[in-house]
Amino acid sequence: MERKAYAHLLEWKETMHGSTAIRLDGARRVGKTYLVKEFAKNEYKSSLYIDFSLADRKIKDIFVENARDLDLLFNKLSRAYGVTLYRRKTLVIFDEIQTFPFARQMIKHFVEDGRYDYIETGSLISIQSNIENILVPSEEQQMYLYPMDFEEFLKAMGDGDLIGYLRECYEKKTPVGNAIHARAMDWFRQYMLVGGMPQAVSEYAKSKDFKRVDIIKKQILNTYRSDITRFAKGYKEKVEAIFDDIPSELSKKNKKFKITALGENARMRDYENSFMWLADGMISSLCFNASDPSSVGLSMYLDRPTLKCYMCDTGLLVTHALMDRDGADNSFYRDILLDRLGVNEGMFMENIVAQMLQASGNRLFYYYRSDAGNAENNMEVDFLIRADRKICPIEVKSSSSDSVSSLKKFHRRFPNTGQQIILYTGDVKTADGILYLPAYMAPFL
């Protein structure tokens, strides 16, 4: 399946010429290993692939014992793996690098040596326990791999040409048209249910069977639970509590994560590291309240206690929310496919918008203010993004509703902010200075 990240890897190879290594971060089962193996096969004369989660002690000892003699180190690795290494024509892949931090520390010396290109992949690479006692190399060029986006999903389904027309309509701000909009929304609803984890997408492309896809997604969720048990040392119970409560918190009208849901005496300062653990593992995505959206530097005005916590993949969220039921036979699947989303189910639309915005390079912010003394100051805007050097407010609607009360309040309070946007299930239109876009156009923002 085609991934946009391949083009970024190719750009790195052609411009950096080995002066940096790529560190490819991503959640478990997001397709990192498959991507780099395909890249190595197509773009290099040979490749040396080492999975440190499976490598035995003898392989790891080669790194430790020969750290000062790279000629001998690579000679031993070449013989151990039966791979001929060619100067400037071989890609060395360190998979699951987080399980052997010493090799990551050596990236500095490998890059300085300059004979090969290097890609490190792994999950939970950035959590504290995986970088203790090592010097993190500055020669790493970080790259994120997210679940497959809507364009990648369409290509996997054999309808990739559709995205070009949708992008053209977005750029011209012209309606898509009833027939094509219905087709795009049909695909988009399927994407919401399947999600973007490559194994799930691949299965759906072959079978169109939600039940088989649901089994795969449950396996992935169980893998995440296993990782929490193994690696969230010192606060496993808190991470588990947050992970389990994500669907419940998102199902509320106010999507903010209410910390007291985890315990009557729970405080954000006690759980902040646990939220960050899930975010570092790219299992969840955190969206912070920006208390001054008139400032382009939103990260300078974060109100951390009022965060929202989304799942990294909406297909996984669907299965997570229905974990105690056979989701493929559940009426909820039919409701989404037939455009019968209720108020509570709107959380899936908001989650998939968060997923697409983040995959497009946007950090996640929103705006919330409560004022008991003045109703005009009570407002919540789902997302804030930076565009054309201004902050643009975005509201997400799970139907064709055109309610704009929060956006109007926001604009009156912050008149110098940018284009107001509503993402909904209808076609492209502009009314009263507000741009209405189909939700499937979120990746273009």
Side-chain angles (χ1 to χ4, degrees):
M1 294 182 291
E2 184 177 336
R3 300 302 304 268
K4 294 178 181 178
Y6 191 102
H8 296 304
L9 290 176
L10 191 59
E11 181 183 11
W12 161 76
K13 177 181 185 290
E14 294 175 348
T15 58
M16 301 310 293
H17 303 292
S19 61
T20 65
I22 283 284
R23 192 187 94 198
L24 186 62
D25 283 2
R28 292 281 295 276
R29 309 282 285 276
V30 82
K32 300 182 297 297
T33 300
Y34 177 84
L35 173 65
V36 297
K37 283 187 172 182
E38 282 294 297
F39 182 66
K41 181 176 69 175
N42 296 336
E43 308 298 338
Y44 290 84
K45 188 173 181 178
S46 74
S47 64
L48 173 63
Y49 173 79
I50 304 175
D51 182 345
F52 284 114
S53 69
L54 300 176
D56 59 29
R57 186 70 256 171
K58 291 180 180 179
I59 295 296
K60 295 179 180 179
D61 285 344
I62 291 175
F63 287 83
V64 176
E65 295 170 359
N66 303 280
R68 296 182 181 276
D69 188 345
L70 298 189
D71 291 332
L72 185 56
L73 184 150
F74 286 117
N75 185 281
K76 289 182 177 181
L77 289 176
S78 175
R79 284 184 293 161
Y81 285 91
V83 174
T84 302
L85 306 180
Y86 303 93
R87 180 174 289 272
R88 303 301 318 133
K89 294 181 180 180
T90 291
L91 176 65
V92 179
I93 302 169
F94 293 153
D95 202 0
E96 302 295 350
I97 189 69
Q98 77 279 0
T99 63
F100 189 45
F102 183 82
R104 183 182 176 193
Q105 180 172 273
M106 286 193 67
I107 283 293
K108 172 182 176 64
H109 307 292
F110 293 148
V111 169
E112 288 177 350
D113 175 68
R115 70 183 82 182
Y116 312 122
D117 285 352
Y118 301 88
I119 295 180
E120 311 159 78
T121 75
S123 306
L124 308 172
I125 294 177
S126 299
I127 64 172
Q128 188 62 36
S129 61
N130 286 331
I131 58 176
E132 288 178 344
N133 304 318
I134 71 164
L135 182 63
V136 176
S138 59
E139 291 75 13
E140 289 178 337
Q141 183 175 328
Q142 190 172 26
M143 178 177 161
Y144 296 103
L145 186 64
Y146 295 101
M148 297 174 71
D149 67 13
F150 185 50
E151 180 177 358
E152 293 168 329
F153 178 82
L154 284 177
K155 289 181 177 179
M157 295 300 117
D159 203 3
D161 292 341
L162 176 61
I163 204 73
Y165 176 73
L166 300 180
R167 185 182 294 275
E168 182 180 346
C169 291
Y170 166 77
E171 291 173 350
K172 295 180 178 179
K173 305 300 183 285
T174 57
V176 172
N178 291 339
I180 296 182
H181 174 65
R183 172 178 149 199
M185 281 303 304
D186 185 50
W187 278 127
F188 186 70
R189 293 186 186 101
Q190 293 174 69
Y191 173 56
M192 191 182 304
L193 291 169
V194 174
M197 303 305 282
Q199 190 178 356
V201 175
S202 178
E203 176 57 48
Y204 188 67
K206 289 184 293 186
S207 68
K208 296 297 189 295
D209 187 335
F210 286 119
K211 187 170 185 179
R212 293 172 69 94
V213 172
D214 203 57
I215 291 171
I216 290 170
K217 291 190 292 176
K218 286 180 178 178
Q219 291 172 347
I220 296 172
L221 289 170
N222 287 332
T223 297
Y224 292 169
R225 290 182 181 280
S226 176
D227 283 346
I228 292 170
T229 299
R230 291 176 60 198
F231 300 116
K233 298 175 181 177
Y235 33 86
K236 176 180 75 73
E237 291 79 9
K238 292 178 180 178
V239 175
E240 286 178 335
I242 295 170
F243 180 75
D244 288 339
D245 211 43
I246 289 175
S248 175
E249 294 302 302
L250 289 177
S251 69
K252 298 173 183 176
K253 183 178 180 180
N254 187 329
K255 303 294 191 297
K256 298 192 309 298
F257 200 105
K258 190 174 181 181
I259 199 69
T260 53
L262 303 175
E264 183 178 349
N265 297 317
R267 297 293 181 269
M268 178 55 73
R269 63 177 178 270
D270 300 322
Y271 282 83
E272 187 169 6
N273 287 339
S274 300
F275 278 105
M276 294 309 300
W277 191 96
L278 286 168
D280 284 344
M282 298 178 70
I283 295 171
S284 71
S285 302
L286 302 181
C287 183
F288 291 101
N289 182 27
S291 59
D292 184 8
S294 63
S295 169
V296 175
L298 293 175
S299 58
M300 297 172 60
Y301 298 93
L302 296 187
D303 182 13
R304 290 185 177 274
T306 53
L307 59 78
K308 294 191 284 188
C309 186
Y310 299 105
M311 282 290 291
C312 67
D313 179 74
T314 307
L316 292 181
L317 175 62
V318 170
T319 299
H320 192 12
L322 305 173
M323 199 70 172
D324 59 338
R325 292 178 281 180
D326 185 353
D329 293 330
N330 194 279
S331 61
F332 172 76
Y333 273 64
R334 295 193 300 273
D335 289 342
I336 284 189
L337 291 173
L338 298 175
D339 194 19
R340 297 173 181 169
L341 272 175
V343 174
N344 289 343
E345 287 81 14
M347 70 177 184
F348 300 106
M349 182 71 82
E350 188 168 323
N351 197 96
I352 204 164
V353 168
Q355 178 181 335
M356 293 188 294
L357 289 176
Q358 187 173 54
S360 298
N362 296 285
R363 289 191 64 190
L364 299 181
F365 300 98
Y366 75 107
Y367 179 73
Y368 169 80
R369 184 178 180 187
S370 178
D371 186 343
N374 185 353
E376 177 67 15
N377 291 331
N378 288 329
M379 71 189 86
E380 181 171 353
V381 174
D382 295 327
F383 298 102
L384 303 172
I385 65 169
R386 183 182 295 106
D388 298 324
R389 298 185 179 182
K390 289 191 174 183
I391 299 302
C392 299
I394 299 174
E395 278 277 271
V396 179
K397 306 293 183 183
S398 59
S399 67
S400 57
S401 166
D402 57 0
S403 173
V404 295
S405 58
S406 287
L407 282 183
K408 286 184 175 179
K409 286 183 180 181
F410 184 87
H411 185 63
R412 286 194 293 268
R413 183 168 180 80
F414 305 104
N416 294 322
T417 49
Q419 176 68 65
Q420 303 168 74
I421 300 170
I422 285 183
L423 294 171
Y424 72 143
T425 61
D427 205 344
V428 179
K429 69 176 183 178
T430 301
D432 298 326
I434 298 174
L435 176 62
Y436 293 76
L437 296 173
Y440 54 72
M441 289 189 177
F444 305 150
L445 295 172

